[in-house]
Amino acid sequence: MSEKKVSVLAGFKAFLMRGNVVDLAVAVVIGAAFTNIVNSVVKGIIGPLVGAIGTKSLDVYSSCLKGPCGIDPKTGDPIGVNILWGTVLNAALTFLITAAVVYFLMVLPMSKYLARQEQRRKAKEGVKEIVEVTELEVLKDIRDHLVAQRNGHTTAQVDGAPAARPSVD
């Protein structure tokens, strides 16, 4: 029984120490904090701007499917079949506004930043490749020149063309 308990605890520890579990936990915490920022922007800036154009709450809009519609004054229960399409429209607009805020204030600037970083990285790699190719060509020329000197030739043949420098004996 003790071995089974130890193996279960060891398995649980291994599960917790996997990188993706830690990454997921960090993502949830950051996501919760990020949600507060987005909600503040939507409620503090976007909501009042939309309210200045139209109504602040779309929840009051509804249609009566089966009348009479209303609220029973004695019990407070709804009477009839009332379609609350304003609530659905409000939720859809809130989603679209939130998605737009996230995209334009967070995703788009981060994408541009990452693209610039990638261009800089590629530019550095391109310079490194050019330098390496040039060094390789110089080393090949030196090798061919040394082979030509060892064989007693006055000019080395490099890929069918005479070398630029004569050999020194």
Side-chain angles (χ1 to χ4, degrees):
M1 173 111 169
S2 166
E3 287 181 24
K4 187 175 182 181
K5 195 174 195 180
V6 170
S7 65
V8 170
L9 290 177
F12 183 66
K13 180 182 176 185
F15 169 75
L16 289 179
M17 291 301 149
R18 278 195 275 170
N20 55 356
V21 173
V22 174
D23 290 344
L24 181 61
V26 169
V28 168
V29 171
I30 294 294
F34 185 69
T35 300
N36 290 334
I37 293 171
V38 172
N39 287 339
S40 297
V41 169
V42 170
K43 288 179 183 175
I45 298 172
I46 306 296
L49 290 175
V50 171
I53 296 170
T55 180
K56 285 190 175 186
S57 176
L58 297 173
D59 293 335
V60 296
Y61 295 109
S62 63
S63 296
C64 186
L65 189 62
K66 183 177 178 184
C69 289
I71 296 179
D72 187 4
K74 295 178 184 176
T75 62
D77 295 333
I79 302 171
V81 179
N82 201 7
I83 304 294
L84 304 174
W85 59 269
T87 304
V88 175
L89 183 61
N90 190 24
L93 284 175
T94 301
F95 171 77
L96 288 175
I97 291 169
T98 303
V101 167
V102 168
Y103 181 75
F104 289 112
L105 295 182
M106 305 297 175
V107 173
L108 191 61
M110 183 59 94
S111 295
K112 288 182 179 182
Y113 172 75
L114 292 176
R116 273 186 270 139
Q117 292 295 91
E118 184 67 18
Q119 286 176 346
R120 289 179 187 155
R121 185 188 63 78
K122 284 183 179 180
K124 286 180 182 177
E125 284 181 2
V127 170
K128 186 177 180 182
E129 284 181 18
I130 291 170
V131 169
E132 288 176 2
V133 169
T134 305
E135 289 175 1
L136 183 62
E137 290 174 358
V138 169
L139 289 173
K140 283 181 181 179
D141 287 344
I142 293 170
R143 178 202 62 199
D144 292 341
H145 185 71
L146 291 172
V147 168
Q149 277 184 343
R150 189 175 338 142
N151 292 336
H153 294 61
T154 56
T155 58
Q157 295 286 326
V158 179
D159 294 332
R165 297 181 199 159
S167 65
V168 178
D169 292 326

